Amino acid sequence: MPTVLILGASRGIGHEMVRQYRLEGWRVIATARKQEDCDELTQMGATAHQLDVTSADSIAALGWRLDDEKIDVAWLVAGVYGPSGSGFPTGPEFDAVMHTNVLGAMRLIPIVGPLLADTRGKLAVLSSKMGSIGARSGTEGTLYRASKAALNSVLADAAITYGAQGVTCVSFHPGWVQTDMGGSGATLTPEQSVRDLRATLAKVDKSGNGAFLDHDGTPIPW
Ligand SMILES: NC(=O)c1ccc[n+]([C@@H]2O[C@H](COP(=O)([O-])OP(=O)(O)OC[C@H]3O[C@@H](n4cnc5c(N)ncnc54)[C@H](OP(=O)(O)O)[C@@H]3O)[C@@H](O)[C@H]2O)c1
């Protein structure tokens, strides 16, 4: 039975990932910030751990808990949008978005990467098309865009470091998804997005290491 690690599974896309992987019989390790969300993940059949991606202590504690694990697939899902405008963010807004979306990944990937090397597994981060510089056509959510561009840089580094150890590292746009972040007017349900994301990652082979893909597998310019 393969093992998937889902980082940020209390709601939205991460929560739906837990549901679908369990349905397919995978062993699921999932994280959430709050104990009550961990309890719900346990009821869904996952092994749940508390994790706040902005806390170095919390990340270190997760590292200890995962120490002996061998993981086939890891999804880094946790993220925040921050201010929706294109003006100056405040310092606290900048810190909140960058610490969650970028620093969290920079601290988690060195813990998760080695656990994937044994299985020659796959690491996927949920970035966004809004982080693409090559496909940029608007400026709203400028802080979020900058954070996802930076996350893509972190993924590109992971592809070099862990790609050499047999891990396939991919950055994904999940589509515009009906979650708290995406809103009810979004074009995809979480069920559709996650079905596509899982199928696309399953098809990606070693040659896809370091790719930036839409949920359906279409390449996105960096
Ligand atoms: N929805 C879209 O249309 C869309 C489009 C492009 C990219 N994405 C990306 O896809 C990912 C998931 O988005 P979503 O739509 O599912 O968002 P969501 O419904 O707003 O859920 C966000 C998730 O991130 C978690 N999270 C936030 N800050 C955290 C922290 N400090 N520590 C641990 N977990 C934290 C939340 O946990 P809590 O419940 O504890 O807050 C929640 O599980 C994000 O990275 C997002 O940027 C989404």
Side-chain angles (χ1 to χ4, degrees):
M1 192 195 304
T3 299
V4 60
L5 171 66
I6 301 163
L7 300 161
S10 62
R11 55 195 165 95
I13 294 169
H15 192 266
E16 176 63 16
M17 280 182 176
V18 174
R19 194 187 71 78
Q20 291 192 19
Y21 277 109
R22 282 299 299 144
L23 213 56
E24 286 213 338
W26 285 55
R27 176 168 173 259
V28 175
I29 305 172
T31 74
R33 261 198 287 207
K34 298 189 213 90
Q35 185 55 51
E36 64 257 37
D37 292 326
C38 286
D39 293 344
E40 192 198 329
L41 292 169
T42 305
Q43 278 165 21
M44 293 168 77
T47 299
H49 298 300
Q50 250 180 307
L51 173 70
D52 180 337
V53 303
T54 62
S55 159
D57 288 346
S58 181
I59 290 173
L62 179 75
W64 282 109
R65 290 192 194 104
L66 296 180
D67 203 25
D68 292 331
E69 293 288 353
K70 289 188 189 351
I71 298 189
D72 298 278
V73 169
W75 288 95
L76 175 49
V77 182
V80 291
Y81 192 81
S84 55
S86 57
F88 281 178
T90 65
E93 286 170 341
F94 181 89
D95 287 350
V97 173
M98 288 295 185
H99 284 210
T100 306
N101 295 359
V102 187
L103 184 57
M106 294 178 95
R107 288 172 166 164
L108 281 162
I109 289 173
I111 288 173
V112 174
L115 307 177
L116 293 158
D118 276 345
T119 63
R120 303 180 78 74
K122 294 178 181 177
L123 168 70
V125 300
L126 283 199
S127 178
S128 170
K129 214 177 207 168
M130 289 180 72
S132 166
I133 293 170
R136 188 69 51 99
S137 61
T139 62
E140 77 289 354
T142 190
L143 177 56
Y144 178 75
R145 290 177 185 279
S147 76
K148 293 300 189 180
L151 174 63
N152 283 348
S153 172
V154 174
L155 186 281
D157 287 352
I160 293 171
T161 303
Y162 299 105
Q165 299 173 32
V167 181
T168 303
C169 303
V170 183
S171 190
F172 272 108
H173 174 61
W176 184 24
V177 191
Q178 293 159 17
T179 62
D180 292 337
M181 187 184 292
S184 55
T187 49
L188 293 176
T189 64
E191 196 273 333
Q192 291 167 325
S193 169
V194 171
R195 195 183 53 218
D196 282 2
L197 289 167
R198 288 172 53 246
T200 301
L201 186 64
K203 271 187 246 152
V204 170
D205 62 16
K206 205 66 199 74
S207 67
N209 183 45
F212 183 19
L213 301 176
D214 213 333
H215 58 99
D216 61 2
T218 308
I220 298 173
W222 292 103

